[in-house]
Amino acid sequence: MKGMNFAFHCLERPEPTGKRVAIIGAGPAGLAAAGYLACKGHEVHVYDKLPEPGGLMLFAIPEFRIPVERVRLGYLDLAKRMGVKFHTGVKVISGERSDEGDEFAEKKVDFEELVKEFDAVLIATGTWRSWVADIPGIELEGVFKALEYLFRIKSAKLGHMDWKDVPEIEGKRVIVIGAGHTACDAAMESLLMGAEKVYMSYRRTIREAPAGSYEINLLREKGVEWLELTVPVRIIGENGKVKGIELKKCRLGEPDASGRRKPIPIEGSEFTVEVDYVVFAIGQTPTPPFIDGIATDRKGRIVVDSRHMTSREGVFAAGDVVLGPSLVGRATKDGLYAGRDIHLWLTEVRA
């Protein structure tokens, strides 16, 4: 099997430039930037809190989408052929904040230390915080954020987590709230793990589903029950564990300024679905390696200029931490362009 070629710009390592770049985050954006910069002769260090490089591409996206060995061969090529130095199990952060996936971080490094030590820093930390609905029962055992749910399954499959720390899905009933790609991945993984029944609940219709009707219809063909125009009202528990979920039917109102039709709950339309697990896949938030000090927008995304530079000179950002949750291809492209911009800045401004 061929690995993902993150260093396709060169066949061998060029002469070193003497410049050192730190990349925070070993997902698709970080790896693409590492490959470009290494091909230009810069010394590249990649920091990631997970036990091996790959980010969500390896630790959350199911293998039927991206084979594990392709990712592993790709980052091993960066390490062996291009001399990229990986520092895994390291969370880079200034201040205190807990995010999903932190359980693998064995040590912390202050973001400011890297800024001082390296000629340039690229932030490619992605979106490691998930949203959940503010409804009764959210604290019950059996309620998961989709990222956590997928992360635990993939971590066990990769050999980094004990299966006893993974939800026992076989023979259980699962409902996934949401209709994006992460929701579809959670539904498919539930099927592959032997769930007795899988539901997907979405507040609009299949035509408005972010993942697209084609992908959702494939899941329906495999047995997933599609509950459109529904919103969760409360999670029902028994002895501290999920027993079911109450949903309310909706209708779509008139389009707003963006052209989207707002779901309007229909009073008296509540109904209950018996489930063992409730998985929320309703969005994720960027997780930059700082609490403040660099400009972000109202959605928490790092603001960059046309050079991928943040509001701080010499600090760049790329991938989902800038774009918000996106597809692997888009994040990879953004990381590649960021690597190019860093190289230009190092050779033209920092020469």
Side-chain angles (χ1 to χ4, degrees):
M1 178 183 291
K2 280 190 174 182
M4 301 179 81
N5 191 355
F6 298 108
F8 61 87
H9 318 279
C10 57
L11 296 177
E12 56 186 30
R13 293 168 68 176
E15 287 296 315
T17 64
K19 301 295 184 182
R20 303 172 72 241
V21 181
I23 296 176
I24 309 169
L31 293 175
Y36 187 95
L37 290 163
C39 276
K40 295 300 181 182
H42 306 302
E43 181 181 323
V44 181
H45 291 251
V46 181
Y47 295 81
D48 197 280
K49 65 183 179 181
L50 301 179
E52 63 175 305
L56 293 179
M57 184 168 55
L58 192 66
F59 281 83
I61 296 176
E63 188 159 8
F64 63 84
R65 290 196 191 278
I66 302 178
V68 167
E69 282 310 302
R70 286 200 67 213
V71 181
R72 282 179 167 162
L73 289 171
Y75 73 67
L76 286 172
D77 175 64
L78 285 180
K80 293 178 180 179
R81 182 168 67 92
M82 303 308 302
V84 173
K85 297 174 177 61
F86 289 99
H87 307 268
T88 55
V90 178
K91 180 170 182 175
V92 178
I93 187 79
S94 281
E96 292 295 327
R97 189 188 66 218
S98 296
D99 304 311
E100 291 161 70
D102 279 2
E103 52 263 61
F104 286 126
E106 298 173 348
K107 62 178 288 189
K108 287 185 180 181
V109 169
D110 193 281
F111 172 67
E112 296 298 331
E113 290 182 20
L114 297 187
V115 174
K116 292 175 184 176
E117 182 182 348
F118 289 87
D119 295 293
V121 173
L122 173 66
I123 299 169
T125 47
T127 54
W128 281 90
R129 287 188 129 189
S130 303
W131 305 343
V132 293
D134 184 16
I135 58 174
I138 202 72
E139 76 290 343
L140 291 167
E141 182 181 338
V143 177
F144 292 93
K145 300 169 183 176
L147 178 54
E148 175 194 7
Y149 187 75
L150 291 166
F151 178 73
R152 289 186 173 277
I153 293 170
K154 279 299 294 288
S155 294
K157 287 183 176 181
L158 292 169
H160 295 302
M161 184 176 286
D162 196 301
W163 280 102
K164 67 179 177 60
D165 296 319
V166 179
E168 189 177 331
I169 300 168
E170 186 174 0
K172 304 295 185 179
R173 298 157 299 179
V174 181
I175 187 166
V176 180
I177 311 298
H181 292 287
T182 302
C184 290
D185 287 349
M188 178 59 82
E189 280 285 23
S190 298
L191 289 175
L192 294 174
M193 294 290 287
E196 176 189 307
K197 183 69 179 178
V198 180
Y199 302 89
M200 287 184 74
S201 166
Y202 182 51
R203 58 184 178 164
R204 293 186 172 91
T205 73
I206 196 169
R207 290 186 296 276
E208 290 89 14
S213 58
Y214 175 78
E215 184 161 1
I216 289 168
N217 279 327
L218 285 178
L219 288 170
R220 294 172 75 182
E221 289 175 8
K222 294 180 182 297
V224 173
E225 187 166 338
W226 173 248
L227 304 172
E228 66 180 17
L229 291 170
T230 57
V231 292
V233 177
R234 66 185 178 102
I235 301 169
I236 302 163
E238 186 176 89
N239 298 322
K241 296 183 179 181
V242 171
K243 183 182 179 183
I245 186 169
E246 183 178 302
L247 302 170
K248 181 179 284 190
K249 295 180 181 179
C250 300
R251 63 179 177 84
L252 294 180
E254 293 300 314
D256 58 19
S258 67
R260 304 197 76 186
R261 301 171 68 190
K262 184 178 179 180
I264 302 171
I266 301 170
E267 292 304 317
S269 65
E270 293 85 357
F271 65 100
T272 300
V273 179
E274 291 188 3
V275 293
D276 302 289
Y277 297 121
V278 178
V279 181
F280 284 97
I282 57 176
Q284 292 159 229
T285 299
T287 46
F290 52 80
I291 306 303
D292 51 36
I294 291 177
T296 57
D297 65 13
R298 62 183 182 83
K299 292 184 177 181
R301 298 173 298 192
I302 296 178
V303 177
V304 297
D305 62 18
S306 60
R307 304 167 298 165
H308 282 88
M309 193 179 291
T310 69
S311 58
R312 189 165 177 181
E313 185 77 7
V315 178
F316 300 78
D320 289 4
V321 77
V322 173
L323 305 170
S326 65
L327 298 177
V328 168
R330 189 180 178 210
T332 302
K333 181 179 178 181
D334 200 50
L336 182 63
Y337 288 168
R340 176 203 61 188
D341 291 337
I342 293 169
H343 169 67
L344 292 175
W345 183 78
L346 287 171
T347 53
E348 295 176 5
V349 180
R350 303 279 287 181

